[in-house]
Amino acid sequence: MNVSNQELKKYIPIANLIAKTFGKDCEVVIHDLTVPQNSVIYAVNNHVTGRTIGQPFDHLVKEVLLSRKFHDDYVAGYKTYTENGEEIKSSTALIRGTDDKVVGALCINYSIKNMIHLQAFLQDFIGTDQEETKVDTIEPVENVVEIADDLIERIISNHNQQHLKRKDKIKLIQFMDEKGIFLIKGSVDKVADKLGISKVTVYSYLDEIKKNSFK
């Protein structure tokens, strides 16, 4: 394990405790955000959403960092869906290292399919909040910009920037676009600077990606 993983290793018993307490419908995932493209380092009860080791983060930016409910490094009780459309109640807490930088995240995904018929009685427990993310209305709260900057730095620094070809840069931009990085104000400028290209080039790559012309 690298340094960041060593810092996150102590959260594995906590993940197991949560999963054991709430049963087989409760999935707990630990992310190492120093390696965003392969952030999942531990998952218990992963039959709930199918999360596997080595996968990237998914809802971190759109549902957590850009949520108006994001305070004190966590968001609880937001709605997500599995690939087959099953509704999931999710919660995410960020994990900070000794230097107070965000190095990971602890995520809880609870399947509520077995409780839907009891919803009237259990509304307080399974209630979820869903926010519609809009680029022109979302203003980052607290230290979201700093966290996003770290993610951008780590996503790009995991590659040798001096040897990045055009298609490699497009793939990195595509990954960041899929994960919602560009929903955060100022991110296009920062990505352009890190990749050594212009802001206009970033937008042209994004247009190319949206037109599905890049393979």
Side-chain angles (χ1 to χ4, degrees):
M1 285 188 171
N2 60 32
V3 175
S4 294
N5 275 342
Q6 288 290 359
E7 293 176 357
L8 296 172
K9 190 175 180 180
K10 61 186 177 183
Y11 289 91
I12 291 177
I14 297 173
N16 291 333
L17 174 66
I18 295 169
K20 188 70 173 178
T21 299
F22 294 101
K24 63 181 179 62
D25 289 332
C26 180
E27 172 189 271
V28 187
V29 181
I30 299 174
H31 290 270
D32 180 352
L33 295 178
T34 67
V35 284
Q37 292 99 321
N38 308 99
S39 64
V40 178
I41 62 167
Y42 188 77
V44 57
N45 287 340
N46 63 327
H47 57 271
V48 173
T49 69
R51 299 299 264 154
T52 57
I53 306 302
Q55 287 184 334
F57 67 86
D58 195 0
H59 306 290
L60 179 68
V61 175
K62 297 177 182 177
E63 304 293 349
V64 180
L65 297 183
L66 290 179
S67 171
R68 291 185 177 87
K69 295 182 177 294
F70 177 68
H71 294 290
D72 299 324
D73 280 352
Y74 80 93
V75 175
Y78 59 92
K79 187 188 299 182
T80 58
Y81 293 91
T82 63
E83 289 185 356
N84 62 8
E86 181 186 330
E87 185 176 325
I88 301 295
K89 178 182 179 182
S90 298
S91 298
T92 297
L94 302 181
I95 300 171
R96 293 183 179 271
T98 54
D99 59 357
D100 203 38
K101 291 278 191 180
V102 172
V103 296
L106 178 70
C107 302
I108 300 172
N109 299 311
Y110 197 94
S111 171
I112 59 175
K113 66 180 180 181
N114 294 327
M115 294 185 175
I116 293 299
H117 64 290
L118 296 174
Q119 189 168 7
F121 303 97
L122 300 173
Q123 188 59 48
D124 286 342
F125 181 75
I126 64 172
T128 57
D129 297 306
Q130 179 72 7
E131 296 183 10
E132 185 177 339
T133 301
K134 295 181 180 179
V135 178
D136 58 347
T137 59
I138 291 296
E139 285 294 332
V141 297
E142 293 186 347
N143 51 1
V144 167
V145 173
E146 179 186 348
I147 296 170
D149 287 351
D150 285 342
L151 281 174
I152 291 170
E153 173 70 30
R154 289 162 179 164
I155 290 168
I156 296 175
S157 65
N158 286 337
H159 297 77
N160 188 332
Q161 297 170 52
Q162 292 182 340
H163 295 87
L164 283 177
K165 297 180 180 178
R166 180 179 183 274
K167 67 176 183 178
D168 299 320
K169 293 178 181 178
I170 295 179
K171 284 182 179 179
L172 286 175
I173 289 171
Q174 184 175 27
F175 176 82
M176 287 185 276
D177 183 44
E178 289 171 350
K179 300 308 177 185
I181 295 294
F182 296 116
L183 294 175
I184 298 173
K185 186 177 181 180
S187 58
V188 170
D189 296 287
K190 288 161 188 170
V191 170
D193 181 63
K194 292 292 182 183
L195 288 177
I197 57 180
S198 70
K199 181 177 176 180
V200 173
T201 300
V202 174
Y203 280 120
S204 71
Y205 288 169
L206 285 170
D207 286 339
E208 190 172 341
I209 291 164
K210 286 179 173 60
K211 291 176 183 175
N212 295 318
S213 61
F214 175 71
K215 301 186 182 298

